[in-house]
Amino acid sequence: MTTGEIMTLLSVRGFRFTHSLGQNFLVDDEALETIVRGADVENKNVLEIGAGAGCLTNVLCREAKRVLTIEIDDKLIPVLETVLSPYKNVKLVEGDALQLDLKRLTEDYFEGEPFCVVANLPYYITTPILETLLGSHLPLQSMTVMLQKEAAQRVQAQPGGKEYSPLAVHLRYRCTAEKILTATPDCFQPQPHVESVVIRFAMKEELPPVPEDGFVKLVKASFLMRRKTLLNNLLGYGLSREMAEHVITACGLPATVRAEALSLDDFVNLYQNILDVR
Ligand code: SAM
């Protein structure tokens, strides 16, 4: 089916878009092809979050080995079943990607093989989905995600800014990032008010030399009360004042530093020093 035919099918069925589910469907064929090419999924397993009417799924199925796609809106399921009926390499799951057991679903369908994530993400689940994917020890190869420009700036924020966050640090710990596309509102139906950006996060083969779960816990604790100093947040994390002062000095950081000033290397260094004194 062509993208035009898919959208005609939607309107014939009287489908009404739900704004709160972030239903802006990507209908620009060139953008769809650019995303799938940039995602580098040829003959690989793909988990898609938010199938919509299947415009992106359709292109993914032609390129990938297997596609597991999740959609929360039950009104889209019959449309998706029609659109995806020519393909034998796709499994459609109805449900909330934030509630489903992604580990079990992907292990079953991909038979334990690694997989890539490709998703045109609704704004309201961008942060929780990325946190879930990073935190769930899945065998990820890459995550190619379409984000509203503002969300893209947040997840790629640099140290020193207000938008810098534990998620931005965690993404740097696990991935390298590359922008694949900027999509203007006219690429979508209905048109959103803002531009979107597609970023491919490739999982690093070699991670920084500290254990991930403990590292993420420290980063979250360091940001817990943003207006407080790192020293104060480290007291909440369970260090004595003496230990907290010691590790901050050992990292060459000023005593009054705040978490938002620390780079990935600073956080890795801080955690190494904490592991040494504990
Ligand atoms: N992939 C399609 C495309 O590119 O045209 C649709 C993208 S649209 C921006 C996001 C889709 O995610 C919508 O179809 C929406 O219903 C679905 N969605 C929203 N929240 C979801 C959730 N928690 N779990 C699964 N799907 C969700």
Side-chain angles (χ1 to χ4, degrees):
M1 243 186 203
T2 64
T3 308
E5 286 166 346
I6 296 175
M7 296 316 282
T8 305
L9 181 63
L10 268 191
S11 81
V12 168
R13 297 204 177 207
F15 178 76
R16 295 168 76 109
F17 295 90
T18 305
H19 180 70
S20 61
L21 289 176
Q23 288 180 344
N24 303 99
F25 297 163
L26 185 60
V27 293
D28 183 286
D29 285 320
E30 213 177 304
L32 288 163
E33 294 290 341
T34 304
I35 294 171
V36 175
R37 215 177 320 114
D40 187 20
V41 293
E42 194 180 343
N43 213 22
K44 293 180 183 160
N45 297 307
V46 174
L47 168 66
E48 186 194 18
I49 295 165
C55 299
L56 182 57
T57 328
N58 196 30
V59 188
L60 286 168
C61 287
R62 290 185 211 138
E63 189 81 4
K65 180 176 177 185
R66 287 176 283 216
V67 179
L68 176 65
T69 188
I70 300 173
E71 175 53 54
I72 197 170
D73 187 346
D74 59 356
K75 295 189 298 309
L76 286 167
I77 302 299
V79 176
L80 283 163
E81 280 168 352
T82 306
V83 172
L84 303 177
S85 62
Y87 303 106
K88 302 270 169 287
N89 61 338
V90 62
K91 181 179 164 81
L92 169 64
V93 176
E94 181 189 337
D96 180 346
L98 292 170
Q99 303 293 333
L100 289 167
D101 183 347
L102 295 182
K103 197 168 172 59
R104 190 183 53 75
L105 282 170
T106 53
E107 256 173 27
D108 286 356
Y109 190 57
F110 301 140
E111 300 175 311
E113 289 178 10
F115 63 92
C116 307
V117 171
V118 180
N120 176 2
L121 286 177
Y123 188 72
Y124 84 102
I125 57 167
T126 302
T127 299
I129 274 289
L130 290 175
E131 282 176 349
T132 302
L133 290 171
L134 288 177
S136 49
H137 301 285
L138 298 164
L140 295 174
Q141 292 171 302
S142 63
M143 303 184 291
T144 302
V145 287
M146 163 102 71
L147 307 166
Q148 286 191 3
K149 213 167 179 181
E150 191 188 304
Q153 280 163 355
R154 242 187 313 117
V155 298
Q156 291 194 293
Q158 300 291 329
K162 270 202 304 243
E163 304 206 306
Y164 193 48
S165 65
L167 177 59
V169 179
H170 196 182
L171 281 164
R172 278 198 176 79
Y173 173 100
R174 282 283 293 278
C175 322
T176 55
E178 177 200 359
K179 186 167 109 182
I180 288 179
L181 177 79
T182 299
T184 48
D186 58 337
C187 295
F188 299 89
Q189 206 171 309
Q191 294 193 15
H193 297 296
V194 289
E195 281 192 342
S196 297
V197 176
V198 179
I199 301 173
R200 180 173 188 267
F201 295 99
M203 311 323 276
K204 289 180 184 171
E205 288 191 2
E206 207 171 314
L207 294 179
V210 285
E212 183 173 358
D213 287 349
F215 175 76
V216 173
K217 210 167 142 207
L218 166 69
V219 175
K220 283 187 176 159
S222 304
F223 276 96
L224 198 61
M225 280 174 278
R226 291 189 78 107
R227 280 178 297 121
K228 287 201 172 181
T229 59
L230 175 65
L231 178 66
N232 271 314
N233 279 321
L234 288 181
L235 303 182
Y237 171 73
L239 294 192
S240 66
R241 177 168 288 276
E242 194 191 353
M243 268 189 190
E245 283 171 350
H246 170 79
V247 290
I248 290 172
T249 312
C251 291
L253 297 166
T256 54
V257 74
R258 289 193 166 80
E260 65 194 30
L262 271 67
S263 66
L264 171 65
D265 287 347
D266 289 330
F267 274 117
V268 169
N269 199 4
L270 180 69
Y271 191 41
Q272 277 172 326
N273 276 287
I274 290 175
L275 292 175
D276 286 347
V277 296
R278 263 190 165 173

